[in-house]
Amino acid sequence: MLFAPPSSPRLPWPSRSCWSPAASGRSISPRIAAAIDGEDRAVLLASVARDARLDRKYVLLITLSAAIATLGLLQDSPAVVIGAMLVSPLLGPIMGIGFGLATIDSGLIRRSLTTLAAGVGVAVLVAVLIIWLSPIQDVTGEIRARTQPTLLDLGVAVVSGIAGVYAILRQLSGVMVGVAIATALVPPLSTIAFGLATWRPELALGAALLFLTNTLAIAIAATIVARINRFGPSLTPQHTIFQVTGIVVTLGLLSTPLALSLNNIAAEVRARS
């Protein structure tokens, strides 16, 4: 008679947590952590590049945004103008410029500039057509408010740009709504179109300065925050010096006319009081 050998007791298979570095008392090596961070940065850069593409959706949104903004300016309606800010897709290519400068990615910079330029052209063209067709061509309060940018507007744009990049890094879509409202991008373009369509060049120039201020400030803020978060880790100290020099020069050039405008407004307020 054959006897089967006694079977050895079945041991429980270790759970996944037993193999984790925390359970074994080991920490993740810096090299592995850096690789994970690198993957996250690559995903974020891909998302930024996707939002900076020039496609039919972008053209449709900028067309609708420009139409809403122009009608809101002509009606002197702040609520309608705010609605145009929420529809505008211009933050995408501006963030693309900022991240492209942070990583010295010429392809991303070139693609974002093309998208931004196309959006500006479409917005101004749509606004000019609406203003030509409109029987109301008076300078409303909403229009005049976008023709005298000051250093305060530069500060708002820089802080809003920082908030926008933080929202991208943390994937906080709700924050981007506030950034879009704080940094008016399409209403100044509609104001430029109003100045061109009604032959008021001083209005067009003031609105152009506001749009340029908001655009450059957001891009600069995106560049700074992206570099702080180690985007472009392979850049040399020469690249960093180039970036810092460009940022300082750009802010200096912007600050001069904005400071003069702020002093003029302050002088007018003191004279009235």
Side-chain angles (χ1 to χ4, degrees), residues 9 13 50 52 72 85 103 113 169 174 207 230 238 247 259 271:
W13 186 260
R50 185 170 56 252
M85 300 176 193
T103 57
L113 286 173
L169 297 178
R230 295 186 299 173
Q238 288 77 14
I247 290 172

Side-chain angles (χ1 to χ4, degrees), residues 205-223:
L205 288 175
L209 179 59
L210 176 59
F211 177 78
L212 187 64
T213 298
N214 289 342
T215 300
L216 292 178
I218 294 172
I220 288 172
T223 302

Side-chain angles (χ1 to χ4, degrees), residues 103 175 198:
T103 57
V175 177
T198 60

Side-chain angles (χ1 to χ4, degrees), residues 24 44-45 89 129 149 156 158 169 177 181 193 206-207 215 228 235 246 248:
S24 60
L44 287 172
L45 283 175
L129 292 176
V156 170
V158 170
L169 297 178
V177 175
I181 295 175
T215 300
I228 291 175
L235 299 183
V248 171

Side-chain angles (χ1 to χ4, degrees), residues 33-34 36-42 44-45 98-99 102-103 161-171 220-235 243:
I36 296 174
D37 292 341
E39 291 180 1
D40 292 340
R41 286 194 291 270
L44 287 172
L45 283 175
F99 277 86
T103 57
I162 294 173
V165 181
Y166 180 81
I168 291 176
L169 297 178
R170 297 293 181 268
Q171 299 181 354
I220 288 172
T223 302
I224 294 173
V225 176
R227 282 306 310 271
I228 291 175
N229 284 273
R230 295 186 299 173
F231 283 83
S234 61
L235 299 183
Q243 291 171 329

Side-chain angles (χ1 to χ4, degrees), residues 15-91:
S15 62
R16 292 178 62 91
S17 60
C18 295
W19 298 100
S20 65
S24 60
R26 300 190 307 271
S27 60
I28 299 177
S29 67
R31 182 176 299 179
I32 297 177
I36 296 174
D37 292 341
E39 291 180 1
D40 292 340
R41 286 194 291 270
V43 171
L44 287 172
L45 283 175
S47 175
V48 170
R50 185 170 56 252
D51 292 337
R53 289 185 305 184
L54 178 59
D55 52 18
R56 285 183 292 181
K57 181 182 72 172
Y58 176 85
V59 174
L60 175 61
L61 287 177
I62 194 63
T63 301
L64 296 175
S65 179
I68 295 170
T70 305
L71 294 173
L73 293 175
L74 294 175
Q75 294 177 346
D76 200 19
S77 172
V80 177
V81 174
I82 291 174
M85 300 176 193
L86 298 177
V87 177
S88 169
L90 289 179
L91 271 178

Side-chain angles (χ1 to χ4, degrees), residues 99 108 202 259:
F99 277 86
L108 179 57
E202 70 281 359

